[in-house]
Amino acid sequence: TSKDFSIEQEQLRRRRALRDACRGEEIKRPYMRMKRAERKVLLNHLLVDDKRNTIYCYVPKVGCANWKKVFKVMRGHDAWPGCLPFSHVTAAVPLSSYSKKQKIYRLKHYYKFMFVRDPLARLVSAYIDKFTSSHTAQMYYDYYKKHFTRLVSAHKFHPNATDRSFNSSHDEHIVRNFRSPKPRNDTGASSHHVTWKEFVEFVISLKQNDAYFNEHWDNYDNLCQPCLIDYDFVGHYEQMTDEANYVLRQVKAHDLVAYPQRQGFYHTSSRDRVTSLFRTLNASTQQRILDVYATSYRLFGYQRPTVDKATT
């Protein structure tokens, strides 16, 4: 169809741009070339459907919950049609479960795909979902507090971390590194919740200290290694419906399942919301958070927002 032809032409452009951005990185036998830590992250994010010789690299906050539901249908664990219940549990098997020889074979011969989105929009989506939604905010607040405690106690958090402290009391559980003595809540959440600005500074600190990134805000190159894995399809979240269903046609699953529509409770991050939150940051913070995701912007051709030099 004309729509498929348009998608295929766009794929040629994206994959060519990706190869150029990777500077001719060799992609033969990628499993053998990776560092151990990189390999572990990658193999746990590559989901395999042996029935259709398909590998999907899942990226949180880029429609992966729906893709996991699709994989359940493809493997016969759920019926269709209709909207499947929300679940991050998937029937797909991670590539890490296979032997070395089996991994190499599947990476070479299977149809491999991944989806990305504008990096800043993904970060905003992660913040809204994990720190402002009632059903996940407490869980991720606990995660946030735990990692701040470890970074500060090791004096690795900030160049001037030695005279900064983490107050672990229940009433003042957000580190003083990012909140004044009289915190101003700019998100509408209760005072013990992490604000957008605090979250951004937290992510910046992880990059500065080469610390562990949660998968919900890690870079695409860390999760899916697109310069080492020769993906057959690199989709964009912004065109998810058309491109996801194109992928399903390619793997001969289109007669079994369609990519699900977004469910009513799901809160996405509009472009206006992303821009608005970005502009609440001062110019230095804007530049630093964009630098954290510089590789993701470069590899996938998204336009970086302009830093507002007028902000303070």
Side-chain angles (χ1 to χ4, degrees):
T1 66
S2 60
K3 181 177 289 186
D4 282 359
F5 178 78
S6 177
I7 291 174
E8 288 162 2
Q9 292 301 302
E10 176 63 16
Q11 275 301 300
L12 291 174
R13 186 197 67 78
R14 288 180 194 168
R15 295 181 68 211
R16 186 182 305 115
L18 177 58
R19 286 195 298 270
D20 291 344
C22 290
R23 299 177 182 177
E25 181 77 30
E26 188 77 26
I27 60 175
K28 294 181 180 180
R29 300 188 70 187
Y31 175 73
M32 301 296 295
R33 302 182 66 250
M34 293 179 191
K35 296 177 181 179
R36 183 176 180 180
E38 294 174 335
R39 188 187 308 135
K40 181 178 179 180
V41 171
L42 173 68
L43 296 179
N44 285 330
H45 281 81
L46 293 175
L47 304 182
V48 181
D49 181 354
D50 284 318
K51 186 175 180 179
R52 290 176 176 77
N53 295 351
T54 303
I55 293 177
Y56 161 55
C57 185
Y58 82 86
V59 178
K61 309 313 301 174
V62 191
C64 75
N66 275 341
W67 271 115
K68 291 176 180 180
K69 291 188 289 186
V70 166
F71 265 65
K72 291 179 73 173
V73 176
M74 288 167 57
R75 291 174 57 86
H77 292 267
D78 265 315
W80 193 262
C83 188
L84 297 171
F86 179 81
S87 173
H88 277 285
V89 177
T90 178
V93 179
L95 192 60
S96 59
S97 301
Y98 294 83
S99 70
K100 180 178 177 180
K101 183 177 180 179
Q102 290 171 331
K103 291 182 180 79
I104 294 173
Y105 177 86
R106 283 159 176 75
L107 286 171
K108 181 177 181 180
H109 295 287
Y110 279 22
Y111 183 89
K112 300 173 291 294
F113 71 96
M114 63 177 294
F115 275 80
V116 297
R117 72 190 291 187
D118 178 277
L120 185 61
R122 177 171 173 255
L123 185 68
V124 169
S125 180
Y127 168 72
I128 292 172
D129 184 37
K130 305 306 178 186
F131 290 98
T132 69
S133 299
S134 59
H135 70 291
T136 54
Q138 185 60 46
M139 178 179 68
Y140 276 85
Y141 159 68
D142 292 340
Y143 162 87
Y144 175 91
K145 177 179 175 180
K146 173 184 176 182
H147 282 267
F148 264 128
T149 304
R150 185 172 65 203
L151 286 168
V152 174
S153 64
H155 300 299
K156 294 180 180 179
F157 178 73
H158 187 278
N160 299 320
T162 53
D163 60 359
R164 296 173 183 263
S165 63
F166 178 87
N167 189 324
S168 60
S169 71
H170 182 72
D171 293 335
E172 298 181 1
H173 45 255
I174 298 298
V175 292
R176 291 178 178 177
N177 300 77
F178 299 138
R179 183 169 291 190
S180 63
K182 295 181 179 180
R184 179 179 66 84
N185 188 341
D186 59 2
T187 66
S190 58
S191 62
H192 70 276
H193 285 160
V194 177
T195 69
W196 161 247
K197 294 177 184 178
E198 291 164 349
F199 174 62
V200 168
E201 290 289 353
F202 170 55
V203 173
I204 291 170
S205 76
L206 297 178
K207 182 69 172 181
Q208 290 174 337
N209 294 283
D210 196 25
Y212 168 78
F213 269 69
N214 180 279
E215 63 177 7
H216 290 85
W217 44 86
D218 203 353
N219 268 291
Y220 301 128
D221 56 310
N222 292 332
L223 298 177
C224 294
Q225 296 290 339
C227 289
L228 295 176
I229 301 296
D230 188 15
Y231 288 96
D232 299 282
F233 192 93
V234 178
H236 280 196
Y237 179 85
E238 294 80 5
Q239 289 85 44
M240 177 63 84
T241 300
D242 288 341
E243 295 188 356
N245 288 315
Y246 173 87
V247 168
L248 291 174
R249 289 192 292 275
Q250 297 308 298
V251 301
K252 303 296 188 292
H254 61 289
D255 57 343
L256 181 66
V257 62
Y259 188 79
Q261 297 295 314
R262 182 177 293 122
Q263 299 182 47
F265 66 82
Y266 183 82
H267 301 288
T268 188
S269 49
S270 68
R271 173 49 55 185
D272 287 346
R273 181 74 180 277
V274 172
T275 300
S276 176
L277 283 173
F278 182 67
R279 296 305 174 198
T280 65
L281 308 174
N282 62 41
S284 173
T285 305
Q286 288 179 2
Q287 185 64 59
R288 288 183 295 140
I289 194 61
L290 291 177
D291 288 345
V292 170
Y293 296 100
T295 302
S296 290
Y297 276 106
R298 179 172 60 86
L299 293 180
F300 298 103
Y302 285 101
Q303 184 175 357
R304 288 174 53 142
T306 301
V307 172
D308 186 357
K309 299 299 184 182
T311 60
T312 58

